[in-house]
Amino acid sequence: MSVNILGIESSCDDTSAAVISDGCLRSNVIASQKVHEAYGGVVPELASRAHQQNIVPVVSEALRQAGIDKSEVTAIAFTRGPGLLGSLLVGTSFAKGMAVGLDIPLVDVNHLHAHILSHFIRKQPEDPVPDFPFMCLLVSGGNSQIVVARSPYDMEIVGKTIDDAAGEAFDKCAKVMGLPYPGGPHIDRLAAVGNPKAFRFSKPHIPGLDYSFSGLKTSFLYTLRDNLREDPDFIRNNEADLAASLQATIIDILMDKLGQALDRYPVEHIAIGGGVSANSGVRDAVADFCRRKGVRAWIPERAFTTDNAAMVAAAGYFKYLSNQFCDLSLPPYSRVTV
Ligand code: KG4
C-alpha cells in the first residue's frame, strides 16, 4: 500500500496543500491571498480569515489532483511554525481535526526546515537530491540564514540576520520607490534592464557569518531623498538602475558571507531556498559561485521557492519514515524555538 503524506502550509499568506505518495509529488495546490496588496504588506488578521476560507477547498483540490480519497491519506504533515500565529492556528487546527477524524498520525514541520528540504521534492523516484551534509542559503521575507544540514533532522544555523531579512530589504526599498507589494519580483524585473553599477549603497561590516540589511535600506532611502531634491522625477527616470544597483548590493552581501561559510564548513553541495531564491540575480550568483568552487549547486524550481505545501509534505515524509510523530497537544509557534 502507498504511503500518502498530505502536507498543509498556512504560516503566512499562502494556503497550500500537497500530496506526496511514496516520496513523489502528486499535487501541490496554492491559494495566494491578493487581499494584502492594497495594504503594502501582510495583514495578519486578514491572512487568518483568508486561510479559513481557503483551507477546505485547497485540501480537497490537492486530494482530487493526487487522485486519492481522504481515507487513503497515511499521515498529515503541517507547518507548526515559525510564522504568523493566527495563520498557523488555522492549518494546525485543521490538520489535528483531520488526523483525529481519520485516526492517522500527525507530523509537525518547521517551516524553515521545509524550505531547506524543498530540494527533496521528487517528481520521479530517480530525481537527484542533495547529499548530506549540504549548506543552504535560506532567504525569504522573514529570514536570512546560512544553514548546515547534516541530516533531515540535524540542521545548524551558522549565520543569520541581526535585523532585516533580505526579502524585507527588497520589499521595503521597492515600497519607497512606489512599487507594489511584494516588491522583490518587481525589483528583479527592473534590474534585468538596469545598470548594477549606477549607484553605490552601503554594505554592512558585521563580524562572523551574520547578515544585516537595515543599513542598506537607510542608505537606499538617503540616496532617493538627496536626489529627489534635485530631480522630482528621479525615481521614475532611474527606476531600472536603482533596482539593478539594489539587487547587486543585496547579492554581494549574501555571497560574501556564503563564501566565508564555505571556507569554515567545507561541503560539496550548496542549496538555496525561500522566496528570495526566486531572484534571477541570486540564482545566477549562486550557480556561478558553485561552479568556481567546484561545488554542486541546487537551485530550486521557482514554484518551490515561495511558501508551498509540497516542501512541508517532503519534510514530513522524512519524519514519518523515522516515526517522529507529533502530540495533539502541541501548539503552533510564531518564532523559531526548535
Ligand atoms: O519565502 P517567502 O514566500 O515568504 C516568507 O517570507 O516566508 O518569501 C517572500 C519574499 C518576499 O520578500 C518577496 O519579495 C521575495 O520573497 N521574493 C523575491 C522574488 N520573488 C519573491 N525577491 C527578489 N526577487 C524575486 N524574484
Side-chain angles (χ1 to χ4, degrees):
M1 222 172 63
S2 290
V3 173
N4 297 316
I5 307 289
L6 170 66
I8 293 177
E9 158 64 30
S10 74
S11 65
C12 190
D13 61 341
D14 293 300
T15 319
S16 181
V19 174
I20 283 187
S21 299
D22 296 326
C24 288
L25 186 66
R26 293 286 173 253
S27 64
N28 184 36
V29 176
I30 305 175
S32 298
Q33 304 175 0
K34 299 280 168 227
V35 62
H36 309 286
E37 277 169 15
Y39 298 90
V42 177
V43 184
E45 179 79 21
L46 297 179
S48 18
R49 282 191 218 177
H51 283 305
Q52 284 285 4
Q53 287 168 338
N54 294 338
I55 192 131
V56 172
V58 164
V59 169
S60 303
E61 183 58 16
L63 293 174
R64 194 193 66 76
Q65 287 185 15
I68 62 165
D69 183 74
K70 61 181 182 305
S71 60
E72 295 171 273
V73 175
T74 315
I76 301 178
F78 70 100
T79 301
R80 199 179 140 212
L84 299 172
L85 204 63
S87 291
L88 290 163
L89 276 165
V90 178
T92 303
S93 304
F94 185 92
K96 286 184 182 182
M98 191 165 172
V100 170
L102 295 171
D103 195 21
I104 54 175
L106 194 59
V107 178
D108 63 318
V109 170
N110 175 319
H111 180 76
L112 303 177
H113 291 190
H115 270 301
I116 295 165
L117 296 173
S118 65
H119 294 277
F120 293 83
I121 301 170
R122 287 182 166 101
K123 292 192 178 146
Q124 311 291 336
E126 58 277 9
D127 283 351
V129 294
D131 288 346
F132 290 101
F134 68 92
M135 190 178 287
C136 185
L137 176 65
L138 179 59
V139 272
S140 69
N143 292 278
S144 294
Q145 300 180 342
I146 300 175
V147 178
V148 176
R150 297 193 176 87
S151 83
Y153 331 105
D154 179 6
M155 302 206 189
E156 185 188 353
I157 300 168
V158 298
K160 60 181 183 314
T161 182
I162 59 166
D163 43 52
D164 289 351
E168 273 176 286
F170 272 110
D171 295 343
K172 288 178 178 171
C173 292
K175 192 172 181 177
V176 294
M177 285 176 68
L179 296 170
Y181 176 85
H186 297 281
I187 297 286
D188 193 355
R189 176 180 47 81
L190 288 167
V193 290
N195 174 6
K197 296 202 165 90
F199 299 98
R200 284 176 71 92
F201 305 116
S202 71
K203 292 187 199 159
H205 300 282
I206 309 290
L209 300 178
D210 286 342
Y211 286 116
S212 165
F213 289 98
S214 66
L216 166 62
K217 191 182 62 191
T218 311
S219 160
F220 188 81
L221 199 66
Y222 285 174
T223 302
L224 294 194
R225 186 198 60 187
D226 295 347
N227 284 282
L228 280 167
R229 281 196 195 121
E230 311 291 322
D231 173 11
D233 282 334
F234 174 74
I235 297 177
R236 200 150 39 96
N237 293 337
N238 295 277
E239 219 175 26
D241 288 351
L242 282 166
S245 304
L246 171 69
Q247 182 170 299
T249 312
I250 293 174
I251 293 170
D252 275 357
I253 297 170
L254 291 174
M255 297 311 296
D256 173 40
K257 293 295 168 101
L258 189 64
Q260 292 183 43
L262 183 60
D263 291 342
R264 228 184 268 190
Y265 300 91
V267 288
E268 286 171 17
H269 292 228
I270 291 185
I272 53 173
V276 177
S277 69
N279 182 269
S280 322
V282 171
R283 296 165 80 88
D284 290 349
V286 171
D288 181 56
F289 170 80
C290 289
R291 215 173 294 122
R292 282 186 283 112
K293 296 285 181 185
V295 167
R296 181 155 180 188
W298 293 86
I299 312 289
E301 251 181 57
R302 279 200 164 84
F304 302 136
T305 57
T306 45
D307 292 345
N308 66 87
M311 65 183 192
V312 177
Y317 185 52
F318 278 118
K319 286 184 103 175
Y320 172 83
L321 292 178
S322 62
N323 291 317
Q324 295 185 47
F325 301 121
C326 143
D327 192 273
L328 284 172
S329 64
L330 286 182
Y333 52 89
S334 55
R335 292 175 182 278
V336 186
T337 58
V338 287

